[in-house]
Every structure is written in structure tokens, then in C-alpha cells.
Coordinates of all heavy atoms in Angstrom, one line a residue:
M1 N -14.1 13.8 41.1 CA -14.0 14.1 39.7 C -13.3 12.8 39.0 O -12.3 12.3 39.5 CB -13.1 15.3 39.4 CG -13.0 15.6 38.0 SD -11.8 16.9 37.7 CE -12.8 18.2 37.4
Q2 N -13.9 12.4 37.9 CA -13.4 11.2 37.2 C -12.7 11.7 36.0 O -13.0 12.7 35.4 CB -14.6 10.3 36.8 CG -14.8 9.2 37.7 CD -15.9 8.3 37.1 OE1 -16.6 8.7 36.2 NE2 -16.0 7.1 37.7
M3 N -11.7 10.9 35.6 CA -10.9 11.2 34.4 C -11.7 10.6 33.2 O -12.3 9.6 33.3 CB -9.5 10.6 34.5 CG -8.6 11.3 35.5 SD -7.0 10.7 35.5 CE -6.4 11.1 33.9
R4 N -11.5 11.3 32.1 CA -12.2 10.8 30.9 C -11.4 9.6 30.3 O -10.2 9.6 30.3 CB -12.1 12.0 29.8 CG -12.8 11.6 28.5 CD -12.7 12.8 27.6 NE -11.4 13.1 27.1 CZ -10.9 12.6 26.0 NH1 -11.5 11.8 25.3 NH2 -9.7 13.0 25.6
Q5 N -12.2 8.6 29.9 CA -11.5 7.4 29.3 C -10.9 7.7 28.0 O -11.5 8.4 27.2 CB -12.5 6.3 29.2 CG -12.9 5.7 30.5 CD -13.8 4.4 30.3 OE1 -14.2 4.2 29.2 NE2 -14.0 3.7 31.3
V6 N -9.8 7.1 27.7 CA -9.1 7.3 26.4 C -9.7 6.2 25.4 O -9.8 5.1 25.8 CB -7.6 7.0 26.6 CG1 -6.8 7.1 25.3 CG2 -7.0 8.0 27.6
P7 N -10.0 6.7 24.2 CA -10.5 5.7 23.2 C -9.5 4.6 23.0 O -8.3 4.8 23.0 CB -10.6 6.6 22.0 CG -10.6 8.0 22.4 CD -9.9 8.0 23.7
R8 N -10.0 3.4 22.7 CA -9.1 2.2 22.6 C -8.3 2.3 21.3 O -7.2 1.8 21.2 CB -10.0 1.0 22.6 CG -10.7 0.8 23.9 CD -11.5 -0.5 23.9 NE -10.5 -1.6 24.1 CZ -10.7 -2.8 23.8 NH1 -11.8 -3.2 23.2 NH2 -9.8 -3.8 24.0
N9 N -8.8 2.9 20.3 CA -8.1 2.9 19.0 C -7.3 4.3 18.8 O -7.1 4.7 17.6 CB -9.0 2.7 17.8 CG -10.1 3.7 17.7 OD1 -10.2 4.6 18.6 ND2 -10.8 3.7 16.6
I10 N -6.8 4.9 19.8 CA -6.2 6.2 19.7 C -4.9 6.1 18.9 O -4.4 7.0 18.2 CB -6.0 6.9 21.0 CG1 -5.6 8.3 20.8 CG2 -4.9 6.2 21.8 CD1 -5.7 9.1 22.1
D11 N -4.2 4.9 19.0 CA -2.9 4.7 18.4 C -3.0 3.9 17.1 O -2.0 3.4 16.6 CB -1.9 4.0 19.3 CG -1.5 5.0 20.5 OD1 -1.5 6.2 20.2 OD2 -1.3 4.5 21.6
K12 N -4.2 3.7 16.7 CA -4.4 2.9 15.5 C -3.8 3.6 14.2 O -4.1 4.8 14.1 CB -5.9 2.6 15.3 CG -6.2 1.6 14.2 CD -7.6 1.2 14.2 CE -7.9 0.1 13.2 NZ -9.2 -0.4 13.2
P13 N -3.1 2.9 13.4 CA -2.5 3.6 12.2 C -3.5 4.1 11.2 O -4.5 3.5 11.0 CB -1.6 2.6 11.6 CG -2.0 1.3 12.1 CD -2.7 1.5 13.4
N14 N -3.3 5.3 10.6 CA -4.2 5.8 9.6 C -3.6 5.4 8.3 O -2.6 5.9 7.8 CB -4.2 7.3 9.8 CG -5.2 8.0 8.8 OD1 -5.9 7.3 8.1 ND2 -5.2 9.3 8.7
R15 N -4.4 4.6 7.6 CA -3.9 4.1 6.3 C -4.7 4.7 5.1 O -4.6 4.1 4.0 CB -4.1 2.5 6.3 CG -3.3 1.8 7.2 CD -3.0 0.4 6.7 NE -2.5 -0.5 7.6 CZ -1.4 -0.4 8.3 NH1 -0.7 0.7 8.1 NH2 -1.0 -1.3 9.1
T16 N -5.4 5.7 5.3 CA -6.2 6.3 4.3 C -5.4 6.6 3.0 O -5.8 6.3 1.9 CB -7.0 7.5 4.8 OG1 -7.7 7.1 5.9 CG2 -7.9 8.0 3.7
P17 N -4.2 7.3 3.2 CA -3.4 7.6 2.0 C -3.0 6.3 1.2 O -3.0 6.3 0.0 CB -2.2 8.3 2.5 CG -2.6 8.8 3.8 CD -3.6 7.9 4.4
E18 N -2.6 5.3 1.9 CA -2.2 4.0 1.3 C -3.3 3.4 0.5 O -3.2 3.0 -0.6 CB -1.7 3.0 2.3 CG -0.3 3.4 2.9 CD 0.1 2.4 3.9 OE1 -0.4 1.3 4.0 OE2 1.1 2.7 4.6
Y19 N -4.5 3.4 1.1 CA -5.7 2.9 0.4 C -6.0 3.7 -0.9 O -6.4 3.2 -1.9 CB -6.9 2.8 1.3 CG -6.7 1.9 2.5 CD1 -7.3 2.1 3.7 CD2 -5.9 0.7 2.3 CE1 -7.1 1.3 4.8 CE2 -5.8 -0.1 3.4 CZ -6.4 0.2 4.6 OH -6.2 -0.7 5.7
A20 N -5.9 5.1 -0.7 CA -6.3 5.9 -1.8 C -5.3 5.7 -3.0 O -5.7 5.7 -4.2 CB -6.3 7.4 -1.4
V21 N -4.0 5.6 -2.7 CA -3.0 5.4 -3.7 C -3.2 4.1 -4.4 O -3.1 4.0 -5.6 CB -1.6 5.6 -3.1 CG1 -0.5 5.1 -4.1 CG2 -1.3 7.0 -2.7
T22 N -3.5 3.1 -3.6 CA -3.7 1.7 -4.2 C -4.9 1.7 -5.1 O -4.8 1.2 -6.2 CB -3.9 0.7 -3.1 OG1 -2.8 0.7 -2.2 CG2 -4.2 -0.7 -3.6
F23 N -6.0 2.3 -4.7 CA -7.2 2.4 -5.5 C -6.9 3.1 -6.8 O -7.2 2.7 -7.9 CB -8.4 3.0 -4.8 CG -9.6 3.1 -5.6 CD1 -10.4 2.1 -5.8 CD2 -9.9 4.3 -6.2 CE1 -11.5 2.2 -6.6 CE2 -11.0 4.5 -7.0 CZ -11.8 3.4 -7.2
L24 N -6.3 4.3 -6.7 CA -6.1 5.2 -7.9 C -5.1 4.5 -8.8 O -5.3 4.6 -10.1 CB -5.6 6.6 -7.4 CG -6.7 7.4 -6.7 CD1 -6.0 8.7 -6.2 CD2 -7.8 7.7 -7.7
F25 N -4.1 3.9 -8.3 CA -3.1 3.3 -9.2 C -3.8 2.1 -10.0 O -3.6 2.1 -11.2 CB -1.9 2.7 -8.4 CG -0.9 1.9 -9.2 CD1 0.0 2.6 -10.0 CD2 -0.9 0.5 -9.2 CE1 0.9 1.9 -10.8 CE2 0.0 -0.2 -9.9 CZ 0.9 0.5 -10.7
F26 N -4.5 1.2 -9.3 CA -5.1 0.1 -10.1 C -6.2 0.6 -10.9 O -6.5 0.0 -12.0 CB -5.5 -1.0 -9.1 CG -4.4 -1.8 -8.6 CD1 -3.7 -1.6 -7.4 CD2 -3.9 -2.9 -9.4 CE1 -2.7 -2.3 -7.0 CE2 -2.8 -3.6 -9.0 CZ -2.2 -3.4 -7.8
Y27 N -7.0 1.6 -10.5 CA -8.1 2.1 -11.3 C -7.6 2.7 -12.6 O -8.1 2.3 -13.7 CB -8.8 3.2 -10.5 CG -9.9 3.9 -11.3 CD1 -11.2 3.2 -11.5 CD2 -9.8 5.1 -11.8 CE1 -12.2 3.8 -12.2 CE2 -10.8 5.7 -12.5 CZ -12.0 5.1 -12.7 OH -12.9 5.7 -13.4
Y28 N -6.6 3.6 -12.5 CA -6.1 4.2 -13.7 C -5.3 3.3 -14.6 O -5.3 3.4 -15.8 CB -5.3 5.5 -13.4 CG -6.2 6.6 -13.1 CD1 -6.2 7.2 -11.8 CD2 -7.1 7.2 -14.0 CE1 -7.1 8.2 -11.5 CE2 -8.0 8.2 -13.7 CZ -7.9 8.7 -12.4 OH -8.8 9.8 -12.1
M29 N -4.6 2.4 -14.0 CA -3.9 1.4 -14.8 C -4.8 0.5 -15.6 O -4.6 0.3 -16.8 CB -3.0 0.5 -13.9 CG -2.1 -0.5 -14.7 SD -1.2 -1.6 -13.6 CE -2.5 -2.5 -12.8
T30 N -5.9 0.0 -15.0 CA -6.9 -0.8 -15.7 C -7.6 0.0 -16.7 O -7.9 -0.5 -17.8 CB -7.8 -1.4 -14.6 OG1 -7.1 -2.1 -13.6 CG2 -8.8 -2.4 -15.3
L31 N -8.0 1.3 -16.3 CA -8.7 2.1 -17.3 C -7.8 2.4 -18.5 O -8.4 2.4 -19.6 CB -9.1 3.4 -16.6 CG -10.1 4.3 -17.3 CD1 -11.4 3.6 -17.4 CD2 -10.3 5.6 -16.5
F32 N -6.5 2.6 -18.3 CA -5.7 2.8 -19.4 C -5.5 1.6 -20.3 O -5.5 1.7 -21.6 CB -4.3 3.2 -18.9 CG -3.2 3.4 -20.0 CD1 -3.3 4.5 -20.8 CD2 -2.2 2.4 -20.2 CE1 -2.3 4.6 -21.9 CE2 -1.3 2.6 -21.2 CZ -1.3 3.7 -22.0
L33 N -5.5 0.4 -19.7 CA -5.3 -0.8 -20.5 C -6.5 -1.3 -21.2 O -6.4 -1.7 -22.4 CB -4.8 -1.9 -19.6 CG -3.3 -1.8 -19.0 CD1 -3.0 -2.9 -18.0 CD2 -2.3 -1.8 -20.1
F34 N -7.7 -1.2 -20.5 CA -8.9 -1.8 -21.1 C -9.9 -0.8 -21.5 O -10.9 -1.1 -22.2 CB -9.5 -2.8 -20.1 CG -8.6 -3.9 -19.8 CD1 -8.1 -4.0 -18.5 CD2 -8.2 -4.8 -20.7 CE1 -7.2 -5.1 -18.2 CE2 -7.4 -5.9 -20.4 CZ -6.9 -6.0 -19.1
S35 N -9.9 0.5 -21.1 CA -10.8 1.5 -21.4 C -12.2 1.2 -21.0 O -13.2 1.5 -21.7 CB -10.8 1.9 -22.9 OG -9.5 2.3 -23.3
K36 N -12.4 0.5 -19.9 CA -13.7 0.1 -19.4 C -13.8 0.6 -17.9 O -13.1 0.0 -17.0 CB -13.9 -1.4 -19.4 CG -13.8 -2.0 -20.8 CD -14.9 -2.9 -21.2 CE -14.7 -3.5 -22.5 NZ -15.5 -2.9 -23.5
A37 N -14.6 1.6 -17.7 CA -14.6 2.2 -16.3 C -15.2 1.2 -15.3 O -14.7 1.2 -14.1 CB -15.5 3.4 -16.4
L38 N -16.2 0.4 -15.6 CA -16.7 -0.5 -14.6 C -15.7 -1.5 -14.2 O -15.6 -1.9 -13.0 CB -18.0 -1.1 -15.1 CG -18.8 -1.9 -14.1 CD1 -19.3 -0.9 -13.0 CD2 -20.1 -2.5 -14.8
V39 N -15.0 -2.1 -15.1 CA -13.9 -3.1 -14.8 C -12.8 -2.4 -14.0 O -12.4 -3.0 -13.0 CB -13.3 -3.7 -16.1 CG1 -12.2 -4.5 -15.8 CG2 -14.4 -4.4 -16.9
A40 N -12.5 -1.2 -14.3 CA -11.4 -0.5 -13.6 C -11.9 -0.2 -12.1 O -11.1 -0.3 -11.2 CB -11.1 0.8 -14.3
L41 N -13.2 0.2 -12.0 CA -13.7 0.4 -10.6 C -13.7 -0.9 -9.8 O -13.3 -0.9 -8.6 CB -15.1 0.9 -10.7 CG -15.8 1.5 -9.5 CD1 -15.0 2.7 -9.0 CD2 -17.2 1.8 -9.8
L42 N -14.0 -2.0 -10.4 CA -14.0 -3.3 -9.7 C -12.6 -3.7 -9.3 O -12.4 -4.1 -8.2 CB -14.7 -4.3 -10.6 CG -14.8 -5.7 -10.0 CD1 -15.8 -5.7 -8.8 CD2 -15.3 -6.7 -11.0
V43 N -11.7 -3.5 -10.3 CA -10.3 -3.9 -10.0 C -9.7 -3.0 -8.9 O -9.0 -3.5 -8.0 CB -9.4 -3.8 -11.3 CG1 -7.9 -3.9 -10.9 CG2 -9.8 -4.9 -12.2
G44 N -10.0 -1.7 -8.9 CA -9.6 -0.8 -7.8 C -10.1 -1.2 -6.5 O -9.4 -1.2 -5.5
A45 N -11.4 -1.6 -6.4 CA -12.0 -2.0 -5.2 C -11.4 -3.3 -4.6 O -11.1 -3.4 -3.5 CB -13.5 -2.1 -5.3
I46 N -11.1 -4.2 -5.5 CA -10.5 -5.5 -5.1 C -9.1 -5.2 -4.6 O -8.7 -5.8 -3.6 CB -10.6 -6.5 -6.3 CG1 -12.0 -7.0 -6.5 CG2 -9.7 -7.7 -6.0 CD1 -12.2 -7.8 -7.8
A47 N -8.4 -4.4 -5.3 CA -7.0 -4.1 -4.9 C -7.0 -3.4 -3.5 O -6.1 -3.7 -2.7 CB -6.3 -3.2 -5.9
T48 N -7.9 -2.5 -3.3 CA -8.0 -1.9 -2.0 C -8.3 -2.9 -0.9 O -7.8 -2.8 0.2 CB -9.0 -0.7 -2.0 OG1 -8.7 0.1 -3.1 CG2 -9.0 0.0 -0.7
Y49 N -9.2 -3.8 -1.2 CA -9.6 -4.8 -0.2 C -8.4 -5.7 0.1 O -8.1 -6.1 1.3 CB -10.8 -5.7 -0.7 CG -11.1 -6.8 0.2 CD1 -11.8 -6.5 1.4 CD2 -10.8 -8.1 -0.1 CE1 -12.2 -7.6 2.2 CE2 -11.1 -9.1 0.7 CZ -11.8 -8.9 1.9 OH -12.2 -9.9 2.8
V50 N -7.7 -6.1 -0.9 CA -6.5 -7.0 -0.7 C -5.4 -6.2 0.1 O -4.8 -6.8 1.0 CB -5.9 -7.4 -2.1 CG1 -4.5 -8.1 -1.9 CG2 -6.9 -8.4 -2.7
M51 N -5.3 -4.9 -0.2 CA -4.3 -4.1 0.6 C -4.8 -4.0 2.0 O -3.9 -4.1 3.0 CB -4.3 -2.7 0.0 CG -3.3 -1.8 0.6 SD -1.7 -2.4 0.3 CE -0.8 -0.9 0.8
Y52 N -6.1 -3.9 2.3 CA -6.6 -3.9 3.6 C -6.3 -5.1 4.4 O -5.8 -5.1 5.5 CB -8.1 -3.6 3.6 CG -8.8 -3.8 4.9 CD1 -8.7 -2.8 5.9 CD2 -9.5 -5.0 5.2 CE1 -9.3 -3.0 7.1 CE2 -10.1 -5.1 6.4 CZ -10.0 -4.2 7.4 OH -10.6 -4.3 8.6
K53 N -6.5 -6.3 3.7 CA -6.2 -7.6 4.4 C -4.7 -7.8 4.6 O -4.3 -8.4 5.6 CB -6.7 -8.7 3.5 CG -8.2 -8.9 3.5 CD -8.6 -9.2 5.0 CE -10.0 -9.7 5.0 NZ -10.5 -10.0 6.4
I54 N -3.9 -7.3 3.7 CA -2.4 -7.5 3.9 C -1.9 -6.6 5.0 O -1.0 -7.1 5.8 CB -1.7 -7.2 2.6 CG1 -1.9 -8.2 1.5 CG2 -0.2 -7.0 2.8 CD1 -1.4 -7.9 0.2
T55 N -2.4 -5.4 5.2 CA -1.8 -4.5 6.1 C -2.6 -4.4 7.4 O -2.3 -3.6 8.3 CB -1.8 -3.0 5.5 OG1 -3.2 -2.7 5.2 CG2 -1.0 -2.9 4.3
L56 N -3.5 -5.3 7.6 CA -4.3 -5.4 8.9 C -3.4 -5.7 10.0 O -2.6 -6.7 10.0 CB -5.4 -6.4 8.8 CG -6.5 -6.4 9.8 CD1 -7.2 -5.1 9.8 CD2 -7.5 -7.5 9.6
D57 N -3.4 -4.9 11.1 CA -2.6 -5.0 12.3 C -1.1 -5.0 12.0 O -0.3 -5.6 12.7 CB -2.9 -6.3 13.0 CG -4.4 -6.3 13.5 OD1 -4.9 -5.2 13.9 OD2 -5.0 -7.4 13.6
K58 N -0.7 -4.2 11.0 CA 0.7 -4.0 10.7 C 1.0 -2.5 10.9 O 0.1 -1.7 10.9 CB 1.0 -4.5 9.3 CG 0.7 -5.9 9.0 CD 1.9 -6.8 9.3 CE 1.8 -8.2 8.8 NZ 0.5 -8.9 8.9
P59 N 2.3 -2.2 11.0 CA 2.6 -0.7 11.2 C 2.4 0.0 9.9 O 2.3 -0.5 8.8 CB 4.1 -0.7 11.6 CG 4.6 -2.1 11.1 CD 3.4 -3.0 11.2
E60 N 2.3 1.4 10.0 CA 2.1 2.2 8.9 C 3.2 2.1 7.9 O 4.4 1.9 8.3 CB 1.9 3.7 9.3 CG 0.5 4.0 9.8 CD 0.4 5.4 10.2 OE1 1.3 5.9 10.9 OE2 -0.5 6.1 9.9
G61 N 3.0 2.4 6.7 CA 4.1 2.5 5.7 C 4.4 1.1 5.1 O 5.5 1.0 4.4
L62 N 3.7 0.1 5.4 CA 4.0 -1.3 4.9 C 4.0 -1.3 3.4 O 4.8 -2.0 2.8 CB 3.1 -2.3 5.5 CG 3.4 -3.7 5.1 CD1 4.6 -4.2 5.8 CD2 2.2 -4.7 5.4
A63 N 3.1 -0.6 2.8 CA 3.0 -0.6 1.3 C 4.3 0.0 0.7 O 4.8 -0.5 -0.3 CB 1.8 0.2 0.9
M64 N 4.8 1.1 1.3 CA 6.0 1.7 0.7 C 7.2 0.7 1.0 O 8.1 0.6 0.1 CB 6.3 3.0 1.4 CG 5.3 4.1 0.9 SD 5.2 4.2 -0.9 CE 6.8 4.8 -1.3
R65 N 7.3 0.0 2.1 CA 8.3 -0.9 2.3 C 8.3 -2.0 1.3 O 9.4 -2.5 0.8 CB 8.3 -1.5 3.8 CG 8.6 -0.5 4.8 CD 8.7 -1.1 6.2 NE 8.5 -0.1 7.2 CZ 7.5 0.0 8.0 NH1 6.7 -1.0 8.1 NH2 7.4 1.0 8.9
L66 N 7.1 -2.6 1.1 CA 7.0 -3.7 0.1 C 7.4 -3.2 -1.3 O 8.0 -3.9 -2.1 CB 5.6 -4.2 0.1 CG 5.2 -5.0 1.3 CD1 3.7 -5.4 1.3 CD2 6.1 -6.2 1.5
A67 N 6.9 -2.0 -1.7 CA 7.3 -1.4 -3.0 C 8.8 -1.2 -3.1 O 9.4 -1.5 -4.2 CB 6.5 -0.1 -3.2
Y68 N 9.4 -0.7 -2.1 CA 10.8 -0.5 -2.1 C 11.6 -1.8 -2.3 O 12.6 -1.9 -2.9 CB 11.3 0.3 -0.9 CG 12.8 0.4 -0.8 CD1 13.5 1.3 -1.6 CD2 13.6 -0.3 0.1 CE1 14.8 1.5 -1.5 CE2 14.9 -0.2 0.2 CZ 15.6 0.7 -0.6 OH 16.9 0.9 -0.6
R69 N 11.1 -2.8 -1.6 CA 11.8 -4.1 -1.6 C 11.6 -4.9 -2.9 O 12.5 -5.5 -3.4 CB 11.3 -4.9 -0.5 CG 12.1 -6.2 -0.3 CD 11.6 -7.0 0.9 NE 11.8 -6.2 2.1 CZ 11.1 -6.4 3.2 NH1 10.2 -7.4 3.3 NH2 11.3 -5.6 4.3
H70 N 10.4 -4.8 -3.5 CA 10.1 -5.7 -4.7 C 9.9 -5.0 -6.0 O 9.9 -5.7 -7.0 CB 8.9 -6.5 -4.3 CG 9.0 -7.4 -3.2 ND1 9.8 -8.5 -3.2 CD2 8.6 -7.3 -1.9 CE1 9.8 -9.1 -2.0 NE2 9.0 -8.4 -1.2
V71 N 9.7 -3.7 -6.0 CA 9.4 -3.0 -7.3 C 10.5 -2.2 -7.8 O 11.2 -1.5 -6.9 CB 8.1 -2.1 -7.1 CG1 7.8 -1.4 -8.4 CG2 6.9 -3.0 -6.7
R72 N 10.8 -2.2 -9.0 CA 11.9 -1.4 -9.6 C 11.3 -0.4 -10.5 O 10.6 -0.7 -11.4 CB 12.9 -2.3 -10.3 CG 14.1 -1.6 -10.8 CD 15.2 -2.5 -11.2 NE 16.4 -1.8 -11.6 CZ 17.4 -2.3 -12.1 NH1 17.4 -3.6 -12.4 NH2 18.5 -1.6 -12.4
F73 N 11.6 0.9 -10.3 CA 11.1 2.0 -11.1 C 12.1 2.4 -12.2 O 13.0 3.2 -11.9 CB 10.7 3.2 -10.3 CG 9.6 2.8 -9.3 CD1 9.9 2.7 -7.9 CD2 8.3 2.6 -9.7 CE1 8.9 2.3 -7.0 CE2 7.3 2.3 -8.8 CZ 7.6 2.2 -7.5
G74 N 12.0 1.9 -13.4 CA 12.9 2.4 -14.5 C 14.4 2.2 -14.2 O 14.8 1.2 -13.7
K75 N 15.1 3.3 -14.4 CA 16.5 3.3 -14.1 C 16.9 3.9 -12.8 O 18.1 4.3 -12.6 CB 17.2 4.0 -15.3 CG 17.0 3.3 -16.6 CD 18.1 3.5 -17.5 CE 17.8 2.9 -18.9 NZ 18.2 1.6 -19.0
M76 N 16.0 4.0 -11.9 CA 16.3 4.5 -10.6 C 17.2 3.6 -9.8 O 17.4 2.4 -10.2 CB 15.0 4.8 -9.8 CG 14.2 5.9 -10.4 SD 12.6 6.1 -9.5 CE 13.2 6.6 -7.9
R77 N 17.7 4.0 -8.7 CA 18.6 3.2 -7.9 C 17.8 1.9 -7.5 O 16.7 2.0 -7.0 CB 18.9 4.0 -6.6 CG 20.1 3.4 -5.9 CD 20.5 4.4 -4.8 NE 20.4 3.8 -3.6 CZ 20.3 4.4 -2.4 NH1 20.2 5.7 -2.4 NH2 20.3 3.7 -1.3
P78 N 18.4 0.8 -7.7 CA 17.7 -0.5 -7.5 C 17.5 -0.8 -6.0 O 18.3 -0.4 -5.2 CB 18.6 -1.5 -8.1 CG 20.0 -0.9 -8.1 CD 19.8 0.5 -8.3
G79 N 16.4 -1.5 -5.7 CA 16.1 -1.9 -4.3 C 17.0 -3.0 -3.9 O 17.8 -3.6 -4.7
P80 N 16.9 -3.5 -2.7 CA 17.7 -4.6 -2.2 C 17.5 -5.9 -3.0 O 18.5 -6.7 -3.0 CB 17.3 -4.7 -0.8 CG 16.2 -3.7 -0.5 CD 16.0 -2.9 -1.7
K81 N 16.4 -6.1 -3.5 CA 16.1 -7.4 -4.2 C 16.9 -7.4 -5.5 O 17.4 -8.5 -6.0 CB 14.7 -7.6 -4.5 CG 14.3 -8.9 -5.1 CD 12.9 -9.1 -5.2 CE 12.6 -10.5 -5.8 NZ 11.2 -10.8 -5.9
H82 N 17.1 -6.3 -6.2 CA 17.6 -6.2 -7.5 C 19.1 -5.8 -7.6 O 19.7 -5.8 -8.6 CB 16.8 -5.2 -8.4 CG 15.4 -5.6 -8.5 ND1 14.9 -6.6 -9.2 CD2 14.3 -5.0 -7.9 CE1 13.6 -6.7 -9.1 NE2 13.2 -5.8 -8.3
S83 N 19.6 -5.4 -6.4 CA 21.0 -4.9 -6.4 C 22.0 -6.1 -6.1 O 21.6 -6.9 -5.3 CB 21.2 -3.8 -5.4 OG 20.9 -4.2 -4.1
P84 N 23.2 -6.0 -6.6 CA 24.1 -7.1 -6.3 C 24.6 -6.9 -4.9 O 24.6 -5.8 -4.3 CB 25.3 -6.9 -7.3 CG 25.1 -5.5 -7.7 CD 23.7 -5.1 -7.6
R85 N 25.1 -7.9 -4.3 CA 25.6 -7.9 -2.9 C 26.8 -6.9 -2.8 O 27.6 -6.8 -3.8 CB 26.0 -9.2 -2.4 CG 24.8 -10.1 -2.3 CD 25.1 -11.3 -1.4 NE 24.0 -12.2 -1.3 CZ 23.1 -12.2 -0.4 NH1 23.1 -11.3 0.6 NH2 22.1 -13.1 -0.3
F86 N 27.0 -6.4 -1.7 CA 28.1 -5.4 -1.5 C 29.4 -6.2 -1.5 O 29.6 -7.2 -0.8 CB 28.0 -4.7 -0.1 CG 29.1 -3.8 0.1 CD1 29.2 -2.6 -0.6 CD2 30.0 -4.0 1.1 CE1 30.2 -1.7 -0.3 CE2 31.0 -3.1 1.4 CZ 31.1 -2.0 0.6
E87 N 30.3 -5.8 -2.4 CA 31.6 -6.5 -2.5 C 32.7 -5.5 -2.2 O 32.7 -4.4 -2.7 CB 31.8 -7.1 -3.9 CG 30.7 -8.1 -4.2 CD 30.8 -8.6 -5.7 OE1 31.7 -8.1 -6.4 OE2 30.0 -9.4 -6.1
V88 N 33.7 -6.0 -1.5 CA 34.9 -5.1 -1.2 C 36.0 -5.4 -2.1 O 36.3 -6.5 -2.4 CB 35.3 -5.3 0.3 CG1 36.5 -4.5 0.6 CG2 34.2 -4.9 1.2

């Protein structure tokens, strides 16, 4: 009796949610700013492609790590880039 072979990409990270969030964010942001659906669709597709190229062969959650490090959301707790150094 032979054992079944394990697929090579069994541990490959699933980035579908990151791609969906990227596409929807850029799609609706462009649609809100310019009110042109075709331009928004194109910008969303380009943003998803760029996200794919950036996160290729990287661990899951890279988008959230980059957002936490570089993006500041209103008056929420600042990320490491925007907060002053710890002083005693």
C-alpha cells in the first residue's frame, strides 16, 4: 500500500481577504472621488495586482502589519512611526 502524496502548496498562505479588502478600498475610494465606475474598477485591479506583487512569498497579514506601521486612523492610538519614543 502506498501513501498519498501531500500537495506541494498545502501551507501556502491564503490571501483572499487581503486582496478583497484592497480591491474594495481602492474601488470605493476612487468611485467616491471621481464618480467614474470604469476608472474605479481599473484602479482597484491595479491596486490588487500591486498588493499581489508586494506580498508574494511573504507571510500572511503583511498588509495589516504595513497599515499598522505606516497609516494613522484619525485620533486612534498612533502606530510606531507616529508615536514619540518611550521616555522615562
Side-chain angles (χ1 to χ4, degrees):
M1 181 190 254
Q2 264 186 345
M3 291 181 64
R4 182 176 70 89
Q5 287 187 351
V6 177
R8 298 183 77 201
N9 62 350
I10 195 167
D11 291 329
K12 190 172 184 174
N14 183 8
R15 295 208 193 303
T16 306
E18 291 180 10
Y19 297 146
V21 168
T22 302
F23 176 81
L24 290 174
F25 175 77
F26 282 97
Y27 175 78
Y28 283 115
M29 182 182 66
T30 308
L31 192 63
F32 175 74
L33 291 174
F34 300 113
S35 299
K36 304 227 184 261
L38 191 58
V39 173
L41 190 64
L42 184 64
V43 168
I46 290 171
T48 306
Y49 177 74
V50 169
M51 181 69 164
Y52 170 76
K53 284 298 194 181
I54 289 174
T55 60
L56 194 62
D57 295 329
K58 301 272 190 319
E60 280 180 313
L62 182 71
M64 290 307 296
R65 287 186 204 120
L66 289 175
Y68 174 72
R69 189 177 300 157
H70 297 289
V71 178
R72 188 169 183 186
F73 298 106
K75 300 212 183 268
M76 292 176 65
R77 196 168 123 205
K81 183 175 184 178
H82 303 288
S83 63
R85 295 195 182 269
F86 181 70
E87 297 174 1
V88 177

